[in-house]
């Protein structure tokens, strides 16, 4: 199964680990269990950091704030990340993984072509609608890091570009299988769809305009109609 | 001449004042001249604050930073604004006035209907393209204040909503004069156009994708084509 692809990953525990010590771990020697506990702790910190970052932005993160949130000592948190920057990058990778799990993978159940493009948009919309109450680090991060250089910006743009590349591949498949016109430019179509998501976030979350969700859906449908292969 | 309308305004000097003491002021008594000098100083601070805010955001502003930038004492800057919040609001109003001058008023030269809507979009694009190098407080401010309440957020949303209302009026005129279909929803059309501007800002400024400007222009043209009255 193709992946949105994960850029540089933080060391994360297996999913089961989040539900406690997995059965497979029952007989592992102490050293591995210790390592595993360390991974669990790191995952707990990243989870708290991601939750905080969606509300106040990646730049709002600090080792001190995370220590307070997780009830750990600053040195305890520091031991897992070494720097605020590494903590921010771990949050970007965690967000990337969740985006992949919630938006990308479920859409692969839909058949290639417009069905899958529609599934990707629907899942993206679902995620955006949840984030209307908190925030999206792809959007707040763009404002925080658009003027800067460095590894956090690089991790953030790599994550967004990876997602956009997956959208482009899906649009190209729509063209190849004849669902969309042969002259459809995947960059143009992605740009217009991305605009709908950004307008939804801006108008619903900041301006608090009623009906923004339906406008995004209607906009997507009319984009598809515009680029549909003539009958 | 209709205006985008100015929400609560900061006291600003007449435009000529920026070029020194205007001829009309030559014989004014000392008290008014004193007041006028105060207005000039305030305008200088607001100008420096706006320039700073487009780069680091409204939340990056501080009385201290402005004192440093303008070579004034903190108490000198404080005397003009009284609070950081009032300084931020003055910046929002200054930005509003400039947006009105650069984007709205020049478009009124175009005749009602699609010609004016096109002029508004062209001017909006011109302004956005300039802001790709600095930033736009309508976009960074949305991320900074979407979770908050208070007078700065209120000033920012009032300014954006006023601009959006002017766009809606222009779209309604397009419908009324028959340039666009009778069933065109001005909120839907504005949402889609706003999305193009947001996508341009995001993809050109943050992702640094080539060709974003042309994509926004092409997107606008195909929106117009989609909503044009059938021949």
């Amino acid at each position: 199964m193709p992946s949105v692809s994960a850029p540089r990953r933080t060391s994360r525990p297996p999913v089961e680990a989040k539900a406690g010590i997995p059965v497979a771990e029952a007989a592992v020697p102490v050293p591995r269990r210790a390592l595993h506990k360390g991974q669990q702790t790191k995952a707990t910190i990243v989870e708290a950091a991601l939750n905080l970052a969606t509300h106040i932005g990646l730049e709002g993160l600090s080792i001190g704030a995370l220590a307070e949130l997780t009830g750990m000592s600053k040195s305890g948190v520091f031991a897992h990340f070494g720097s605020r920057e590494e903590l921010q990058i771990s949050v970007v990778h965690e967000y990337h993984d969740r985006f992949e799990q919630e938006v990308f993978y479920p859409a692969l159940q839909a058949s290639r072509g417009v069905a899958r493009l529609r599934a990707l948009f629907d899942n993206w919309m679902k995620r955006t609608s949840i984030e209307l109450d908190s925030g999206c680090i792809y959007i707040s991060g763009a404002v925080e890091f658009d003027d800067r250089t460095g590894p956090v910006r690089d991790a953030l743009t790599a994550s967004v570009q990876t997602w956009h590349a997956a959208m482009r591949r899906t649009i190209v498949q729509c063209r190849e299988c004849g669902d969309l016109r042969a002259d459809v430019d995947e960059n143009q179509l992605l740009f217009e769809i991305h605009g709908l998501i950004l307008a939804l976030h801006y108008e619903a979350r900041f301006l608090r305009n009623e009906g923004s969700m339906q406008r995004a859906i209607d906009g997507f449908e009319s984009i598809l109609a515009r680029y549909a292969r003539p009958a």
Side-chain angles (χ1 to χ4, degrees), chain A:
Chain A
M1 184 185 273
S3 161
V4 167
S5 112
R8 290 165 296 125
R9 297 285 297 274
T10 47
S11 60
R12 300 178 59 231
V15 178
E16 317 86 290
K18 288 178 177 162
I21 298 169
V23 180
E25 300 282 331
V28 297
V30 174
R32 276 209 56 220
R33 179 183 295 279
L35 171 67
H36 179 242
K37 276 192 72 174
Q39 290 179 317
Q40 275 187 294
T41 309
K42 186 166 185 174
T44 304
I45 299 168
V46 171
E47 172 118 32
L50 175 56
N51 183 42
L52 186 62
T54 54
H55 284 91
I56 65 174
L58 286 163
E59 280 300 88
L61 296 178
S62 71
I63 297 282
L66 266 298
E68 207 165 295
L69 267 173
T70 55
M72 294 175 67
S73 66
K74 277 192 182 188
S75 57
V77 174
F78 193 81
H80 286 281
F81 297 94
S83 74
R84 177 167 167 276
E85 207 168 60
E86 203 197 308
L87 172 67
Q88 292 172 308
I89 291 170
S90 300
V91 167
V92 171
H93 292 165
E94 178 66 23
Y95 187 82
H96 178 96
D97 294 343
R98 294 187 181 195
F99 196 92
E100 203 169 51
Q101 294 299 326
E102 293 173 30
V103 179
F104 180 72
Y105 288 129
L108 294 177
Q109 305 307 315
S111 56
R112 279 183 170 222
V114 161
R116 185 173 297 170
L117 181 60
R118 198 182 289 279
L120 284 171
F121 180 76
D122 290 347
N123 297 344
W124 197 0
M125 284 283 291
K126 276 197 207 89
R127 184 164 182 99
T128 304
S129 64
I130 291 163
E131 291 176 331
L132 292 179
D133 296 325
S134 55
C136 167
I137 68 167
Y138 282 164
I139 293 175
S140 59
V143 165
E144 291 177 310
F145 294 93
D146 54 11
D147 256 343
R148 313 189 192 178
T149 56
V152 181
R153 178 203 161 82
D154 294 346
L156 202 53
T157 52
S159 181
V160 173
Q161 294 283 26
T162 301
W163 159 238
H164 282 195
M167 284 290 292
R168 281 192 206 91
R169 280 198 307 274
T170 307
I171 294 166
V172 168
Q173 289 166 2
C174 291
R175 191 177 60 211
E176 289 170 347
C177 74
D179 282 353
L180 295 180
R181 280 183 355 223
D183 64 349
V184 167
D185 173 357
E186 59 273 23
N187 292 306
Q188 181 66 35
L189 187 43
L190 171 60
F191 183 93
E192 295 180 20
I193 292 171
H194 189 203
L196 294 175
I197 295 288
L198 293 171
L200 168 61
H201 196 87
Y202 192 104
E203 300 202 2
R205 181 161 161 78
F206 180 55
L207 299 182
R208 297 176 187 167
N209 290 351
E210 294 291 324
S212 302
M213 186 75 74
Q214 191 55 51
R215 275 176 213 116
I217 293 167
D218 294 348
F220 179 72
E221 290 305 326
S222 63
I223 285 173
L224 285 190
R226 195 162 82 243
Y227 290 113
R229 189 177 53 166

